[in-house]
Amino acid sequence: MSEAKVNITVKVDKETHKRYKLYAVEHEITFKEIFMEEMERRIAEAKKQKEEK
C-alpha cells in the first residue's frame, strides 16, 4: 500500500485557536495530533453509522 501525503489548511477563529492551544499545552500534544485524533474519531463514527444502516 502506498502512502500519500495530504496537506490540509484549517481556518479557525481566535477563540477556537485559543482553546486548541490551551488543550495542546495541557496534554503536551501538537495541533496536528489533535486534528488526527478528531479525524480518526469522525471516521470511526461514520463507519459505525454506516454499519447500523
Side-chain angles (χ1 to χ4, degrees), residues 3 5 9 16-17 24 27 39 50:
E3 290 188 27
K5 185 175 182 179
T9 302
T16 303
H17 181 269
H27 293 85
M39 289 298 106
K50 191 174 185 180

Side-chain angles (χ1 to χ4, degrees), residues 6-44:
V6 178
N7 292 326
I8 298 176
T9 302
V10 178
K11 291 189 176 192
V12 294
D13 59 41
K14 287 183 180 182
E15 288 300 315
T16 303
H17 181 269
K18 193 176 193 178
R19 285 196 307 270
Y20 280 169
K21 191 171 182 179
L22 288 171
Y23 181 86
V25 169
E26 289 172 357
H27 293 85
E28 297 179 357
I29 60 175
T30 64
F31 275 34
K32 180 179 177 182
E33 292 169 326
I34 293 171
F35 179 76
M36 294 301 291
E37 288 175 1
E38 182 67 19
M39 289 298 106
E40 288 170 357
R41 184 185 65 76
R42 289 181 184 191
I43 290 168

